[in-house]
Amino acid sequence: WGATPISATTSASGPAGSSVVGTMIEPPLDFDATTYRSLYPDLAHLDDRLIRAHYERHGKAEGRRAHTLASRIEFAQLLSAERTLEIGPFTRPLLSGPEVLYADIYSTEQLQEIAPKLGLDAAGVPTIRWVISPGDLGVIDEKFDAILSGHVIEHQPNLVGHLSQVSGLLNDGGRYLVLVPDYRYSFDHFMKASTISEVLDAHVRKLAMHDPRSLIASRLLLAHNDAARHWGGDHGDVNVNPAFPEHDRTTRLKLAVNQAAHMPETLVNEHAWFFTADTFAEIMSDLLALELIDLQVERLYPAMRNTLEFWAILRKK
């Protein structure tokens, strides 16, 4: 993503439309009629009721922005808490500063070794304080006012377990800020949206590693990762996996079965969940109602046109 790290100890004017509450910037509304009108003059004649209806019926699907946050950088800037944990920073942490600590499934040295192989700058890897197991934050022994993760939550084999552990690391009233792929605009385009049944199944089975079906699906149905092309309706060929361009469907399935059966290390880093902003909110609402989690969606910023992620703020009750 090439994001510029943001100091979590600098404050505190924040993006337009936000205000400072203690050390945390109060997040702007996820729908603001004034902002929506100013960004889209064709809607300036609509009153508040009609302009909200336009957004719900048309604007959201069109990727129109209805809030004051213009970028993922501004979203991350909402964090000015004194104690912050960033999970999964790799080479591009969204936050920096003496009060920001990092956790990843790989150590600093391992990330520095992996980065050049992926065309990334190893110099961007921060110091990893805690090396965590996939789906397990149990080694982290401190508490935080806020936690941030970018493209992490969809990797968790047990979503309920992950959210419960995050809650345990947050002080009362703390926030979990997540940047999450909207599967429709990413390489997950050919997948199906995850359901509450699947989330609860993983919870009941207490999954600690990825289910083989996650790996099999990624070998079978991966799309390209160009968000603008997806927004424009070009999703590529469902029968061609860009990661395995020379492999036909049968060869990819054989590869997946062999890896799942005989190479458990390949089950470390798959996508387990596929969300849109709306399906994410519905699943979170169900989990809260079931009292399986105590994190409530405070703000939800859907994917904007030609981007592939939505942003959510979860607050500990």
Side-chain angles (χ1 to χ4, degrees):
W1 288 94
T4 302
I6 301 160
S7 173
T9 59
T10 60
S11 193
S13 56
S18 61
S19 59
V20 178
V21 178
T23 57
M24 176 75 75
I25 295 175
E26 186 68 15
L29 297 174
D30 35 29
F31 178 84
D32 180 77
T34 300
T35 299
Y36 199 48
R37 284 194 196 91
S38 68
L39 290 172
Y40 307 104
D42 58 311
L43 306 177
H45 63 287
L46 299 179
D47 62 24
D48 283 359
R49 180 182 64 82
L50 290 177
I51 204 166
R52 181 60 186 257
H54 179 279
Y55 177 67
E56 293 297 335
R57 294 172 186 170
H58 307 288
K60 190 185 297 184
E62 294 169 358
R64 298 200 189 204
R65 175 159 63 95
H67 49 78
T68 58
L69 300 173
S71 69
R72 69 197 323 255
I73 299 296
E74 291 189 7
F75 176 69
Q77 280 179 328
L78 297 175
L79 286 181
S80 59
E82 292 184 355
R83 295 287 293 166
T84 306
L85 172 69
E86 182 171 350
I87 304 172
F90 200 10
T91 64
R92 298 167 179 172
L94 282 166
L95 295 169
S96 68
E99 297 298 330
V100 181
L101 299 177
Y102 302 98
D104 203 289
I105 61 172
Y106 298 110
S107 68
T108 304
E109 294 74 22
Q110 288 173 317
L111 290 174
Q112 289 171 337
E113 182 180 347
I114 294 169
K117 298 175 183 178
L118 300 177
L120 300 173
D121 184 4
V125 175
T127 299
I128 303 301
R129 176 71 171 270
W130 294 282
V131 177
I132 56 179
S133 300
D136 186 7
L137 305 175
V139 298
I140 301 174
D141 55 2
E142 298 187 27
K143 286 208 167 190
F144 302 89
D145 298 313
I147 297 175
L148 172 74
S149 73
H151 294 227
V152 166
I153 200 167
E154 72 277 7
H155 287 268
Q156 304 307 309
N158 182 352
L159 181 62
V160 174
H162 173 72
L163 294 171
S164 297
Q165 286 193 318
V166 165
S167 176
L169 297 174
L170 285 171
N171 293 320
D172 291 344
R175 289 179 169 115
Y176 184 27
L177 273 65
V178 294
L179 302 92
V180 186
D182 184 319
Y183 80 97
R184 298 171 297 177
Y185 311 118
S186 76
F187 54 65
D188 289 329
H189 174 82
F190 295 125
M191 307 298 181
K192 295 181 179 179
S194 298
T195 66
I196 186 61
S197 299
E198 293 166 335
V199 171
L200 293 176
D201 173 72
H203 165 64
V204 170
R205 290 195 286 149
K206 296 182 171 58
L207 289 184
M209 294 292 289
H210 285 289
D211 195 292
R213 66 180 177 179
S214 296
L215 183 147
I216 294 167
S218 74
R219 302 299 183 265
L220 181 62
L221 294 173
L222 211 65
H224 67 75
N225 209 41
D226 185 329
R229 284 177 60 191
H230 285 302
W231 277 97
D234 173 11
H235 309 303
D237 186 342
V238 68
N239 295 308
V240 177
N241 186 328
F244 301 91
E246 305 303 320
H247 292 54
D248 63 16
R249 177 186 178 92
T250 301
T251 305
R252 295 198 308 274
L253 287 172
K254 286 181 179 178
L255 173 66
V257 171
N258 181 64
Q259 289 180 327
H262 305 296
M263 302 172 65
E265 67 276 10
T266 60
L267 294 173
V268 168
N269 200 28
E270 294 296 332
H271 279 195
W273 309 110
F274 311 104
F275 301 114
T276 69
D278 288 340
T279 63
F280 178 80
E282 182 178 34
I283 288 172
M284 291 298 299
S285 178
D286 282 337
L287 296 178
L288 189 67
L290 291 169
E291 299 183 344
L292 292 175
I293 62 172
D294 62 356
L295 296 171
Q296 186 169 18
V297 176
E298 181 180 21
R299 296 285 190 273
L300 187 65
Y301 306 101
M304 295 182 286
R305 189 165 189 83
N306 296 334
T307 73
L308 57 73
E309 66 184 7
F310 62 89
W311 313 322
I313 300 176
L314 312 179
R315 189 156 193 173
K316 184 172 179 177
K317 293 182 65 179

